[in-house]
Amino acid sequence: MKNCIFCKIIKGEIPSIKVWEDAETYAFMDINPTRPGHMLIIPKKHVDYIFETEEPLFTKLFVNAKKLSKALKSSTGALKIGLAIEGIAVRHVHLHLIPVNNVNDLDPCKSKKGNIEELKQMAEKIRKELKD
Ligand code: 5GP
Ligand code: ZN
């Protein structure tokens, strides 16, 4: 999709801090994390609305989110990994995976521009947990 920022990330036209990918999905650090470790998983194919995502892609997104959540939880030590999906600002399906310890940790008003070096270090930490 032309002018879609996440399609541009998939094509490598815009840089991103990748955590993991497979043939259908791509996971990377959110540049404005709500909590340290905040990451996104997206389909490589442009789909606007989560509940219009066809099978088997819909299931694949959640299966991969589950796999990533384990690595994210152990690398951050969070109580749980929260999931948020709304996609109003960016109209390309994305699942927010956010380490949470408190009820309001998913609040998007808490998001702040991340430090690129810190985001890279966090991505590396998560990747390491995925391998082990
Ligand atoms: P939403 O559509 O779910 O309201 O918000 C879009 C999310 O994508 C936000 O959390 C925002 O920080 C993130 N985002 C927007 N543009 C970029 C980008 O170019 N790179 C990355 N890594 N994240 C982005
Ligand atoms: Zn797109």
Side-chain angles (χ1 to χ4, degrees), residues 8-23:
K8 288 183 180 172
I9 283 178
I10 296 294
K11 285 191 229 147
E13 292 171 8
I14 288 180
S16 64
I17 301 170
K18 178 175 119 175
V19 176
W20 182 84
E21 70 180 313
D22 69 358

Side-chain angles (χ1 to χ4, degrees), residues 63 85 111 132:
V63 167
I85 308 169
S111 73
D132 298 342

Side-chain angles (χ1 to χ4, degrees), residues 1 4-8 43-47 91-93:
M1 169 75 75
C4 167
I5 199 154
F6 287 175
C7 283
K8 288 183 180 172
K44 288 187 173 176
K45 178 184 164 189
H46 182 91
V47 183
R91 305 292 175 101
H92 180 134
V93 165

Side-chain angles (χ1 to χ4, degrees), residues 77-88:
L79 191 58
K80 290 189 175 179
I81 300 304
L83 178 63
I85 308 169
E86 39 92 353
I88 298 297

Side-chain angles (χ1 to χ4, degrees), residues 21-97:
E21 70 180 313
D22 69 358
E24 293 88 20
T25 65
Y26 185 81
F28 58 108
M29 303 310 293
D30 194 303
I31 39 162
N32 306 302
T34 300
R35 299 274 312 141
H38 181 173
M39 56 186 279
L40 305 172
I41 177 165
I42 66 175
K44 288 187 173 176
K45 178 184 164 189
H46 182 91
V47 183
D48 177 345
Y49 177 41
I50 185 66
F51 294 121
E52 284 172 359
T53 310
E54 289 178 0
E55 291 292 359
L57 184 57
F58 182 82
T59 298
K60 187 99 197 201
L61 268 172
F62 284 86
V63 167
N64 291 344
K66 184 175 180 181
K67 173 190 167 87
L68 290 161
S69 74
K70 290 175 189 157
L72 185 54
K73 187 170 180 293
S74 53
S75 56
T76 57
L79 191 58
K80 290 189 175 179
I81 300 304
L83 178 63
I85 308 169
E86 39 92 353
I88 298 297
V90 177
R91 305 292 175 101
H92 180 134
V93 165
H94 49 283
L95 277 57
H96 294 261
L97 296 176

